[in-house]
Amino acid sequence: MTVTRREMLAATAAALAAPLVAPGAAGAAGAAGAAGAAQVAPKFFTAPEFALLEELSDLIIPNDAHSPGARVAGVATYIDFRLSESLDTDQQAKWHSGLAAVDTLSQELHGKPFLQGTPEQRLAVLTKMAAGEKDPKTPAEHFFQQLKGWTVRAYYTSKVGIHADQRYKGNVYQRGDYAGYDAK
């Protein structure tokens, strides 16, 4: 029996890929996609940390009449994934301690954890963190810089941020005021 080079490459590729695909993974991935990103268990954060991150990012970029917010864009899921793949243990520790600092600040201001506060109390905590953005002094203010940067980056590289918020249409011929200029 003769095996061609093409058949050998196909068999090798299939053998290498087989351990990476768990039985039923294709069906599970499709179901997870259909159910939405919020249904996926966090990879790096604990469930309470993930819920806190999701709420904070959605306060930074909320839903509005123009486009969906950070929660719909999957910002928390993106940050969770990036940190789960990171080899920078200092960075990972900063996220855990930063989220703890948010709850500490909420306890100081309102006597309860951030997620147990009213929407007005949550906004007050975020506003207090943001007030020190230019010259951070507290752990919560330092964390706000990182949180805001990662939230904005994750949002504007997501499908929601690119297409719904920025209204990117792809490589299309532009008409109107910004159509360009034909040099003669």
Side-chain angles (χ1 to χ4, degrees):
M1 174 178 181
T2 305
V3 178
T4 67
R5 181 172 177 256
R6 183 177 304 255
E7 292 169 335
M8 180 56 90
L9 287 173
T12 302
L16 290 172
L20 301 175
V21 179
Q39 303 284 333
V40 177
K43 295 174 182 274
F44 172 74
F45 293 112
T46 63
E49 287 175 328
F50 185 82
L52 176 57
L53 174 60
E54 197 167 48
E55 182 64 24
L56 287 166
S57 64
D58 207 50
L59 283 172
I60 292 171
I61 304 177
N63 291 332
D64 60 17
H66 180 69
S67 62
R71 188 182 312 262
V72 174
V75 166
T77 302
Y78 173 82
I79 293 171
D80 178 65
F81 174 75
R82 290 292 307 268
L83 289 168
S84 75
E85 296 289 316
S86 176
L87 299 177
D88 187 350
T89 55
D90 290 339
Q91 180 80 321
Q92 293 172 330
K94 285 178 185 177
W95 277 90
H96 287 303
S97 64
L99 291 171
V102 172
D103 265 341
T104 300
L105 179 59
S106 181
Q107 287 281 4
E108 290 170 6
L109 295 176
H110 307 293
K112 56 180 98 170
F114 184 83
L115 290 176
Q116 292 177 10
T118 65
E120 293 79 20
Q121 291 172 332
R122 292 176 185 185
L123 188 57
V125 171
L126 190 67
T127 302
K128 175 93 170 141
M129 291 169 51
E133 180 179 13
K134 297 293 182 199
D135 186 26
K137 293 183 178 29
T138 68
E141 290 170 350
H142 281 284
F143 178 64
F144 179 76
Q145 288 181 319
Q146 185 174 22
L147 172 67
K148 180 181 169 187
W150 280 54
T151 297
V152 169
R153 186 178 310 115
Y155 183 78
Y156 286 106
T157 57
S158 72
K159 187 174 184 176
V160 169
I162 292 170
H163 295 287
D165 190 70
Q166 297 295 310
R167 301 194 193 281
Y168 177 71
K169 303 285 189 252
N171 295 331
V172 296
Y173 181 73
Q174 300 293 313
R175 300 182 190 278
D177 294 339
Y178 301 103
Y181 178 75
D182 289 331
K184 295 182 184 191

